[in-house]
Amino acid sequence: MGLLSFFNREVAMDLGTANSIVIYNDQVVIDEPSIVAVDRKNNNKIMAVGKEAQRMEGKTKDRDIDVVRPLRGGVIADFEMAQHLIRELIGMTNVNRSILPPSLKMVICIPSGITNVEERAVRESAEQAGAKEIRMIHEPMAAAIGIGIDVLQPEGHMVVDIGGGTAEIAVISLGGIVCNTSIKVAGDEFNENVVDYMRRQHNMIIGVRTAEKVKIAVGAAVSELADPPEDFHTLGRDLLTGLPKEVSVNYKEIAHALDKSVARIEQAILDTLSATPPELAADIYKNGIYLAGGGALLRGLDHRVSSKTKLQVHIADDPLRAVARGTGIALKNFNKFNFLIR
């Protein structure tokens, strides 16, 4: 490694509501939950970030330890904690002995529906964390690049990126987003759907972490699957007696619990298609729809969307990291992609 490269570091970051991924030297070096644990009794000292902080979630004494998710709905909700999160994630990469390299160039992924104020909060958080040169890329564009689509060609492609906080639906052509819809219906809302269902149907209170496990184990978008998962034994607290209890749930129950949220994503896709110029609509008819993000792993979602739109639906390879891969490619083409936000 030369002297110049020693003083310059290039990092791509998918700063997600649920998980944040950092790419350095074309490799995913960090993939951690976007969570920070703070010791309120010790001058707000950062106790843990990522998986270690997640282990504390729901298990702390509120007055002493605060477990914070700095991002909500795909945007920064806690500016100070977001700075700590970005700084700690960069520090965990070990790109240098210091927490941050002397000169840090970053590409950060942001939702397409972000406001100017929210965009500024992301930029300022990265600057406060030590980044000297920052550009940003919209999530659907990053997902398209990560899937392998040549976004600079004059051809229409529809990408649906369902993350933790938002579902991003966009039609991309010639290096730009022609039309898009961003809704705050995604993984976090799916988890809340599961929590509500368990309370209403089984008189049982579960935490968000348990709901996430249920969603992963038996989550589905349709009530009929060719290869159904085994029932999942869920642990929680009985709403009536207050005692710990166990309940077995199956994928049909969770499909019912998620139905309204999935329907809202379907409607957002239809709305975006209806706003698509006819020439690009013809391309989408030929190319189909691409699903990315953790929500793409929801069983049967591709079949449900295909049935609703009468179009082919493709799930990206490793959909959880499609956006991060695209952000990393954008970093390598820092000065080539004119759609990167300066």
Side-chain angles (χ1 to χ4, degrees):
M1 182 178 292
L3 183 62
L4 184 62
S5 62
F6 181 81
F7 286 104
N8 291 276
R9 296 290 186 271
E10 297 183 349
V11 172
M13 179 177 290
D14 174 15
L15 191 63
T17 303
N19 282 75
S20 291
I21 300 175
V22 178
I23 294 179
Y24 175 67
N25 280 345
D26 298 331
Q27 300 290 326
V28 174
V29 292
I30 299 295
D31 186 351
E32 296 278 339
S34 302
I35 305 178
V36 180
V38 185
D39 186 351
R40 295 300 187 191
K41 293 185 68 176
N42 191 13
N43 199 26
N44 289 341
K45 179 181 178 181
I46 303 300
M47 297 183 61
V49 167
K51 294 184 181 70
E52 286 301 313
Q54 187 181 52
R55 292 178 60 191
M56 303 179 187
E57 192 173 25
K59 300 180 179 180
T60 64
K61 185 178 180 180
D62 291 342
R63 290 177 298 173
D64 297 342
I65 301 172
D66 196 6
V67 179
V68 181
R69 290 179 176 266
L71 293 101
R72 295 285 181 184
V75 296
I76 292 178
D78 188 322
F79 183 73
E80 182 182 356
M81 288 301 108
Q83 291 179 29
H84 287 302
L85 176 65
I86 294 173
R87 183 181 290 112
E88 293 294 326
L89 290 173
I90 297 300
M92 290 163 65
T93 64
N94 292 322
V95 296
N96 203 345
R97 290 295 181 183
S98 61
I99 293 179
L100 286 171
S103 181
L104 184 65
K105 179 190 290 186
M106 291 185 69
V107 173
I108 304 176
C109 195
I110 57 174
S112 60
I114 196 170
T115 66
N116 290 335
V117 173
E118 292 164 343
E119 180 186 314
R120 195 179 310 122
V122 175
R123 186 180 298 277
E124 290 178 1
S125 291
E127 289 173 348
Q128 291 295 323
K132 304 300 181 185
E133 190 172 3
I134 304 164
R135 292 189 187 170
M136 290 181 275
I137 183 172
H138 287 131
E139 286 179 8
M141 185 68 76
I145 296 171
I147 289 169
I149 296 171
D150 188 347
V151 297
L152 299 178
Q153 291 298 310
E155 187 172 17
H157 295 275
M158 172 171 271
V159 176
V160 180
D161 173 43
I162 307 171
T166 60
E168 308 276 332
I169 303 100
V171 175
I172 293 168
S173 178
L174 282 171
I177 295 176
V178 179
C179 53
N180 72 286
T181 304
S182 178
I183 59 172
K184 295 186 178 181
V185 179
D188 286 352
E189 177 153 323
F190 292 164
N191 292 341
E192 291 298 330
N193 292 158
V194 173
V195 171
D196 291 342
Y197 177 83
M198 296 301 294
R199 181 188 295 112
R200 288 184 288 101
Q201 194 67 25
H202 295 287
N203 289 323
M204 180 177 174
I205 299 175
I206 63 172
V208 174
R209 283 189 63 197
T210 299
E212 174 82 10
K213 293 177 182 177
V214 173
K215 181 182 69 178
I216 292 171
V218 291
V222 294
S223 57
E224 295 296 334
L225 291 174
D227 185 22
E230 293 183 2
D231 293 357
F232 184 75
H233 297 283
T234 309
L235 300 175
R237 190 178 83 234
D238 190 286
L239 185 62
L240 301 178
T241 67
L243 299 175
K245 69 182 286 189
E246 179 183 78
V247 169
S248 178
V249 294
N250 59 55
Y251 80 92
K252 291 187 177 183
E253 291 183 87
I254 304 307
H256 176 72
L258 303 182
D259 181 66
K260 290 184 179 179
S261 292
V262 174
R264 289 175 64 191
I265 294 175
E266 285 180 324
Q267 187 58 50
I269 293 172
L270 293 175
D271 291 343
T272 308
L273 285 170
S274 67
T276 302
E279 293 295 336
L280 295 180
D283 291 337
I284 294 170
Y285 182 84
K286 179 180 64 177
N287 296 324
I289 298 172
Y290 295 86
L291 298 182
L297 297 173
L298 193 64
R299 296 170 183 84
L301 180 62
D302 54 339
H303 297 297
R304 178 163 171 171
V305 172
S306 179
S307 176
K308 191 75 171 180
T309 62
K310 309 301 188 233
L311 298 171
Q312 284 188 321
V313 176
H314 315 281
I315 299 177
D317 294 333
D318 191 9
L320 280 168
R321 293 186 173 183
V323 171
R325 285 197 306 271
T327 308
I329 295 170
L331 176 66
K332 291 178 65 177
N333 296 273
F334 199 75
N335 296 313
K336 174 185 174 183
F337 289 154
N338 58 12
F339 51 76
L340 291 178
I341 303 169
R342 297 175 184 271

